């Protein structure tokens, strides 16, 4: 076998062994068995919420275990693949090289998963998107980002629940709030938080001039019952109104939409996508609790930015640029990761950016420790 190939396989072996150790494959298999027994109990479905969590966790852990075992099997078979390929000729060797390159990509993607060890990383994620500077183009860009994240979630098999969409008058959205369900969604998507910048020829400018616009992405962990976030009833003002769609048109004949205002902090949360006022109130309360949890975390760290950027999306705190004119490129300004196909990125192909972001965060955390 070529010495360079042997060295690369040995490097892959080291990385894969580390991944297996951090994930604790034996414990993972034990946990899957435990959840399978719980899921088989008919009485589990007496508690719908608990049942959904058990089946969701089981599905996620089964996929992790299956993926880990598959990578181990492919890695174990790789040396034999090269031995047979050397007997068969160049075409077979090229096929083995392709498998080795793909295996490295898959192992490194699994390695990124082991870096999600923050206090809230295992939680579902609440994603808030707000249009920033740039007028109609910014509202349109905010809607493009919403579609990008929802497309990414759908392609990855994650359930998305839209809580609220506030449409702009001419096009796009003023803001949107949705939850991405599955373990580790907060840890995964939290690196997407920040200001996103779009440069393009504006479709809303009759002279077709280039326009720069901004949108803000905020990612929060979903609050669980173990969190000590209490919201006294007297601290919240509840307003109800009719749900509205694009252009301000009414999409409901009853006052089912709910706006919650947390009086001590001034935080406002709305939800209008559920069918009943009660469902909207419950969903809005989840988002409010998530925002209060994040505020508490930031205050404990004595940071000035208690609630993210607060909607001031502009030049000052950009984290990613999407350039559609005069050239085609999407570039992360923190990690330097970039691609030359904005259309695929805006269609949900953001795994490369997420993985680079998680590695960057881990490096930053290690260097500051």
């Amino acid at each position: 076998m070529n010495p360079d190939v042997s060295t690369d396989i040995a490097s892959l072996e080291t990385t894969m062994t580390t991944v297996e150790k951090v994930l604790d494959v034996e414990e993972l298999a034990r946990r899957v068995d435990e959840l399978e027994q719980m899921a088989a109990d008919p009485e589990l479905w007496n508690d719908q919420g608990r049942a959904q969590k058990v089946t969701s966790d089981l599905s996620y852990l089964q996929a992790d275990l299956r993926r880990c075992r598959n990578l181990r099997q492919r890695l174990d078979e790789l040396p034999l693949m090269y031995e047979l390929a050397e007997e068969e000729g160049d075409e077979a060797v090229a096929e083995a090289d392709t498998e080795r390159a793909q295996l490295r990509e898959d192992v490194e993607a699994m390695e990124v998963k082991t870096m999600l060890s923050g206090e809230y990383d295992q939680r579902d994620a609440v994603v808030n998107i707000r249009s920033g500077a740039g007028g109609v183009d910014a509202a349109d860009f905010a809607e493009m980002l919403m579609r990008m994240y929802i497309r990414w979630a759908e392609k990855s098999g994650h359930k998305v629940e839209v809580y609220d969409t506030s449409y702009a008058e001419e096009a796009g959205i003023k803001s949107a709030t949705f939850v991405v369900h599955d373990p580790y969604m907060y840890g995964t998507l939290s690196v997407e938080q920040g200001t996103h910048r779009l440069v393009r020829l504006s479709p809303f400018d009759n002279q077709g001039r280039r326009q720069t616009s901004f949108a803000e992405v905020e990612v929060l962990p979903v609050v669980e019952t173990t969190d000590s976030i209490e919201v006294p009833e007297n601290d919240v003002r509840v307003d109800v109104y009719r749900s509205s769609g694009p252009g301000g048109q009414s999409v409901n004949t009853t006052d089912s939409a709910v706006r919650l205002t947390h009086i001590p902090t001034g935080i406002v949360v709305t939800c209008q996508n559920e069918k009943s006022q009660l469902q909207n109130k419950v969903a809005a309360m989840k988002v409010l609790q998530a925002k209060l949890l994040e505020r508490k975390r930031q205050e404990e760290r004595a940071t000035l930015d208690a609630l993210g950027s607060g909607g001031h999306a502009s030049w000052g705190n950009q984290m990613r640029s999407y350039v559609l004119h005069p050239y085609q490129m999407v570039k992360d300004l923190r990690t330097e990761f970039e691609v030359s196909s904005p259309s695929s990125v805006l269609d949900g192909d953001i795994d490369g950016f997420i993985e680079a972001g998680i590695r960057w965060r881990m490096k930053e955390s290690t260097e500051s420790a």
Side-chain angles (χ1 to χ4, degrees):
M1 191 188 302
N2 184 306
D4 290 341
V5 171
S6 297
T7 300
D8 194 40
I9 292 177
S11 171
L12 273 172
E13 175 65 40
T14 300
T15 304
M16 188 64 209
T17 300
T18 301
V19 168
E20 289 169 329
K21 184 176 180 181
V22 173
L23 291 179
D24 194 345
V25 178
E26 288 187 8
E27 172 61 22
L28 190 58
R30 186 201 66 77
R31 180 64 177 150
V32 166
D33 287 341
E34 181 181 42
L35 288 171
E36 284 176 339
Q37 291 176 22
M38 292 171 66
D41 183 358
E43 294 188 5
L44 174 68
W45 290 96
N46 292 337
D47 184 340
Q48 291 284 331
R50 182 167 175 267
Q52 289 176 0
K53 178 162 178 51
V54 167
T55 54
S56 174
D57 287 354
L58 175 58
S59 175
Y60 194 81
L61 294 180
Q62 282 175 329
D64 265 1
L65 184 60
R66 189 164 51 245
R67 188 176 169 197
C68 205
R69 285 173 171 171
N70 175 258
L71 289 175
R72 167 49 66 187
Q73 182 179 347
R74 287 168 61 193
L75 182 54
D76 289 345
E77 291 174 353
L78 195 56
L80 177 59
M81 188 177 184
Y82 269 100
E83 285 180 28
L84 296 174
E86 288 170 358
E87 296 176 6
E88 296 176 19
D90 292 346
E91 191 174 326
V93 171
E95 187 179 332
D97 286 341
T98 300
E99 165 61 8
R100 176 164 55 93
Q102 184 61 55
L103 182 57
R104 173 163 291 285
E105 188 177 315
D106 293 343
V107 169
E108 288 180 349
M110 195 74 180
E111 181 188 25
V112 167
K113 186 103 182 257
T114 67
M115 299 177 184
L116 301 178
S117 56
E119 182 180 1
Y120 299 101
D121 281 357
Q122 294 187 43
R123 305 281 183 89
D124 292 352
V126 178
V127 181
N128 295 307
I129 297 175
R130 296 180 290 265
S131 63
V136 182
D137 280 276
D140 189 49
F141 182 35
E143 188 170 36
M144 290 162 67
L145 289 178
M146 179 183 180
R147 179 184 181 276
M148 180 182 79
Y149 289 119
I150 290 176
R151 287 285 289 152
W152 171 81
E154 289 172 344
K155 289 178 177 180
S156 304
H158 307 306
K159 180 186 174 186
V160 176
E161 192 174 359
V162 178
Y163 280 0
D164 181 65
T165 307
S166 176
Y167 293 94
E169 289 183 11
E170 189 172 337
I173 60 173
K174 297 176 183 176
S175 63
T177 301
F178 54 93
V179 176
V180 183
H181 296 282
D182 259 342
Y184 290 98
M185 284 300 96
Y186 172 68
T188 300
L189 288 173
S190 57
V191 295
E192 290 293 298
Q193 176 158 301
T195 297
H196 297 239
R197 167 180 172 247
L198 173 68
V199 179
R200 66 174 175 177
L201 294 179
S202 173
F204 306 103
D205 186 324
N206 55 19
Q207 297 181 42
R209 290 173 295 192
R210 192 169 65 180
Q211 172 75 28
T212 299
S213 53
F214 302 87
E216 183 76 15
V217 175
E218 178 187 48
V219 183
L220 306 168
V222 168
V223 174
E224 295 184 352
T225 54
T226 53
D227 297 316
S228 55
I229 296 294
E230 294 183 9
V231 186
E233 192 173 330
N234 292 339
D235 284 355
V236 180
R237 186 176 74 243
V238 181
D239 298 306
V240 296
Y241 56 99
R242 291 186 182 180
S243 303
S244 61
Q249 64 193 45
S250 177
V251 296
N252 201 320
T253 57
T254 61
D255 293 337
S256 61
V258 172
R259 180 188 299 109
L260 300 183
T261 302
H262 187 243
I263 297 170
T265 63
I267 295 173
V268 178
V269 172
T270 59
C271 185
Q272 62 174 342
N273 284 40
E274 300 295 342
K275 293 180 180 179
S276 74
Q277 185 182 121
L278 179 59
Q279 288 174 313
N280 280 321
K281 185 177 179 181
V282 169
M285 184 58 74
K286 287 181 181 178
V287 177
L288 175 59
Q289 288 177 317
K291 285 180 174 284
L292 290 174
L293 176 64
E294 179 67 7
R295 187 184 182 95
K296 178 183 176 183
R297 289 173 60 208
Q298 297 292 351
E299 287 176 346
E300 287 172 351
R301 295 174 187 175
T303 61
L304 295 176
D305 192 10
L307 285 173
S309 65
H312 301 296
S314 59
W315 289 94
N317 55 349
Q318 299 170 58
M319 55 80 73
R320 186 176 303 151
S321 286
Y322 304 71
V323 182
L324 306 186
H325 182 83
Y327 52 89
Q328 301 267 309
M329 185 184 72
V330 182
K331 181 175 181 177
D332 193 295
L333 306 179
R334 306 159 304 173
T335 67
E336 302 295 317
F337 183 85
E338 63 180 68
V339 299
S340 58
S341 54
S343 59
S344 64
V345 173
L346 291 168
D347 195 40
D349 186 7
I350 59 173
D351 283 324
F353 288 98
I354 289 174
E355 290 177 15
I358 292 171
R359 290 183 184 278
W360 170 81
R361 181 175 61 191
M362 174 64 75
K363 182 182 178 183
E364 290 284 302
S365 173
T366 302
E367 290 178 351
S368 63

